[in-house]
Amino acid sequence: MKVDEAYSTILISVLVEISSVILMMFVMDIEGVGRRGSMAIGFLLTWLAACLVPISQDMMQFIALNSAIKGIVEGPFTAIYIYAGELFPSTHRGTAVAVCNSFGRIAAMGAPMILMAAYHVHAWLVYAIFGCAAFVALLASALFNRETLGKELYMYVDEIQIGEDEKSLLEEGRHRVFEHLGLNPKI
């Protein structure tokens, strides 16, 4: 690859990332889509792009799909930072966001090694890993049932309201743990 092609590729990638973040700022505030929906849309598009790379026909399609993967995944990443901060009450928010950020940094440190090892096995294994990670993230964002758009942020843990379904699941789990340990669940 020539130097001017490398700079063009980076420029395309940066433009896609910036537009993805700007678009995500507006999409995650749409009623009915919210934080979860915007993350699910972003991870779905990332998964689709990762699945299309192996069938790309020429270098231009390959570069475009790689730039799309890099840029599109930036959108849900932006929403995750906002969503993680809104999930936790104020008393725990800083610690929770720091822990989430730490796991993100650990993944960012391991990703180059894992992807290079996958590349040495087969080049398309890299996109299989991207696709699987995006699909798992898509499922997680779709199946997690708490939306924070338009909801008040809690100050303390005691203020969080648990619905009746969650209470029954918590009670059932508590009873199973006590039974497994041979303890009386009425305590």
Side-chain angles (χ1 to χ4, degrees):
M1 180 179 280
K2 296 179 183 173
V3 173
D4 59 338
E5 289 176 358
Y7 284 124
S8 300
T9 305
I10 292 171
L11 178 64
I12 291 168
S13 179
V14 168
L15 291 175
V16 171
E17 279 187 53
I18 291 171
S19 60
S20 179
V21 169
I22 292 170
L23 181 66
M24 187 59 70
M25 288 187 324
F26 294 108
V27 170
M28 69 183 178
D29 286 335
I30 296 173
E31 193 67 38
V33 177
R35 304 332 186 205
R36 287 179 38 228
S38 61
M39 285 188 299
I41 291 168
F43 288 130
L44 175 67
L45 293 174
T46 303
W47 177 68
L48 288 174
C51 290
L52 290 175
V53 169
I55 59 172
S56 60
Q57 300 295 321
D58 58 10
M59 188 57 115
M60 193 61 190
Q61 286 179 352
F62 182 78
I63 291 171
L65 287 169
N66 276 298
S67 298
I69 290 171
K70 188 172 189 283
I72 293 169
V73 81
E74 188 68 30
F77 188 72
T78 302
I80 285 172
Y81 267 97
I82 293 168
Y83 190 54
E86 292 175 346
L87 278 176
F88 299 100
S90 296
T91 55
H92 296 77
R93 190 168 295 134
T95 303
V97 171
V99 168
C100 293
N101 190 18
S102 297
F103 279 103
R105 289 183 184 268
I106 290 168
M109 286 186 288
M113 291 180 284
I114 293 168
L115 295 177
M116 285 308 296
Y119 180 77
H120 288 298
V121 172
H122 197 282
W124 303 124
L125 184 58
V126 173
Y127 299 102
I129 292 171
F130 281 147
C132 288
F135 189 73
V136 168
L138 169 65
L139 288 177
S141 61
L143 296 176
F144 192 69
N145 64 355
R146 188 161 168 222
E147 177 60 61
T148 60
L149 178 65
K151 304 277 179 20
E152 112 182 37
L153 298 178
Y154 298 110
M155 293 293 290
Y156 304 101
V157 175
D158 298 341
E159 295 175 355
I160 298 174
Q161 300 294 321
I162 298 176
E164 290 302 316
D165 292 339
E166 288 88 1
K167 281 183 185 176
S168 64
L169 285 173
L170 287 173
E171 281 298 314
E172 182 182 328
R174 185 169 120 4
H175 282 289
R176 285 185 183 173
V177 169
F178 276 108
E179 286 174 4
H180 181 72
L181 295 174
L183 300 172
N184 183 4
K186 303 286 185 205
I187 299 175

